[in-house]
Amino acid sequence: MNEINGDIIELISKYLNWKDTFNFRLLSKNIRNIFKYCGFINREILIKNVEINKIYSFQNISVYDVSIIKYLNLKIIRKFKVKNINIDTAITDYLEYLNNIQSLCLSNTNLSKVIPFTNVHTLDLNHTRVTDVSALGNVHTLDLSYTRITDVSALGNVHTLDLSYTKITNVSALNNVHTLNLSSTNVTDVSTLGNVHTLDLSITEVTEVSALGNVHTLNLSGTNVMDVSALGNVHTLNLRRTKVTDV
């Protein structure tokens, strides 16, 4: 069988409820002896015989569908996204299968627990229910914006960290982070962040910035900062909507 007709494709689509997120053109190349009959399609057999080698975004799928993770050839997938779905603690049973994904997006889900992603390079958890991030210290690029986290003491070795729109207050452990987004947070004390390369403090209550003279790129827009006399060496400085009058 060289081609799969449109009726079978439509049937598969409805059965799996993936809508338009699955590339059915790969099916004709990778499925062997599955469609002897059109009346019944076994989901597990289908997934075991489909080798996915491109980037997919699985949207609007149920917890049952998330279980297909363990059947995918994750060794050749570089980016994987599970977005805008309702999941419960059952998803944690499958997170271990995703540990070798280079870029993993679990944003906009109700995920509340994560595992130590020791091999994941880029992890997007924005708009999730995650609160404990102590296991994520080895991630290179980490997006925790719009989450419920309060303790970031374990994230000092993260290279690029987005904590915007969180309720964190203590960022003393983040002095070695290269790129740090603290926009719209409750942070007030940034005295330990002098080694950060790119720092976004926009729309915060920060007023004292004398320790940030070595920061390369600094965003202070929407703050009440008045004195920037110590920032003469900052390469790129955003002072829009501040109270600075003398530069």
Side-chain angles (χ1 to χ4, degrees), residues 57-61 80-86 105-109 124 126:
S57 176
F58 294 100
Q59 299 186 21
N60 302 314
I61 60 175
F80 191 86
K81 181 185 294 185
V82 179
K83 189 175 182 180
N84 295 325
I85 63 172
N86 290 320
C105 178
L106 300 172
S107 64
N108 292 285
T109 67
D124 186 351
N126 82 77

Side-chain angles (χ1 to χ4, degrees), residues 27-83:
L27 292 177
S28 59
K29 296 181 180 180
N30 296 289
I31 296 182
R32 300 180 181 89
N33 300 320
I34 292 180
F35 304 109
K36 293 182 179 179
Y37 304 98
C38 299
F40 178 79
I41 298 176
N42 182 287
R43 181 197 304 261
E44 184 169 320
I45 293 177
L46 173 64
I47 296 304
K48 284 183 177 180
N49 287 275
V50 176
E51 182 176 331
I52 297 179
N53 53 20
K54 291 187 178 182
I55 300 171
Y56 294 102
S57 176
F58 294 100
Q59 299 186 21
N60 302 314
I61 60 175
S62 67
V63 175
Y64 179 77
D65 292 311
V66 174
S67 65
I68 67 172
I69 290 173
K70 63 182 179 180
Y71 298 127
L72 303 182
N73 187 351
L74 297 175
K75 293 181 180 180
I76 55 177
I77 297 178
R78 296 304 177 194
K79 295 183 180 181
F80 191 86
K81 181 185 294 185
V82 179
K83 189 175 182 180

